Amino acid sequence: MVKTDWKSEEEIRYSLGNAEKVAILSCAACANLCDTGGSVGIHILKKLLKGWNKKVVFSSCVTACCSEEIMRQALKRHRRKLSRSDALIVLSCASGIKSACMCETGIPVIAVLDTLGITPITNRDSKLARSACTTCDHCVLIYTGGICPLTECPAKKKYGPCKDYPEHGARCAVNPDIDCVWKDIEKAGDLPALKRLEQLHKAEGAARFRPDIVGWKSPSLLRSVAGKIAARPWILDKFIRFIN
Ligand code: SF4
Ligand code: SF4
């Protein structure tokens, strides 16, 4: 899932500007799992807006805000109420904000969540889950025991530890308050293979495989019907709350 967290109250207020009447669309998928979207996110946001005397014209869950088609159908469904709103708040990751912007609502789109990265869904406190992926292009996870070095290493070393690593033992040379993540990577991963991978990434072999998927794309009418159905996501919202 894509991990999101709330922005500061100051930033949310700043982004709202003079908007008095707002509409809320909330993602029933990833943000719902993070308790920043879905019905929980709407509930939290409404409470905050009430304290600032902002009026919520309408609020609704959207199956997945990251789909432009679903977002478009959800906006279409609520267009009358939307026309009475000063701003649209989207409770989702950056993809959902982009989808809403692509739909050209005619009113400002407001983000109240920050996108922290991609990580598995788990209730466990795990190094693997904590080191959320921030999408660096060429991934090295299978050589690092599932730990993202770019997220965890302050020097942003991806193919091996920094040059100060051996002297400083288990503590990080850049930030002595934390342990060096490369100690864990050394144990769980495969550093020699990672070095060889670096060469591959730098060489021409790093060009992406481009399969021909043109014939697999669904026709736009089907996409539109699927978007209409998916714009009514109350079942998904409840289901995700249940498994979370
Ligand atoms: S190395 Fe880390 S940031 Fe890069 S793609 Fe893999 S998990 Fe994401
Ligand atoms: S000591 Fe380890 S964690 Fe710290 S910057 Fe160097 S490689 Fe990264």
Side-chain angles (χ1 to χ4, degrees), residues 131-141 147-151 158:
S131 67
C133 167
T134 51
T135 61
C136 73
D137 199 9
H138 289 304
C139 191
V140 297
L141 276 187
I147 301 168
C148 175
L150 284 180
T151 316
K158 183 160 142 181

Side-chain angles (χ1 to χ4, degrees), residues 173-189:
V174 174
N175 178 4
D177 293 340
I178 59 170
D179 287 338
C180 170
V181 70
W182 282 95
K183 287 279 168 201
D184 293 320
I185 294 175
E186 200 173 26
K187 271 187 233 143

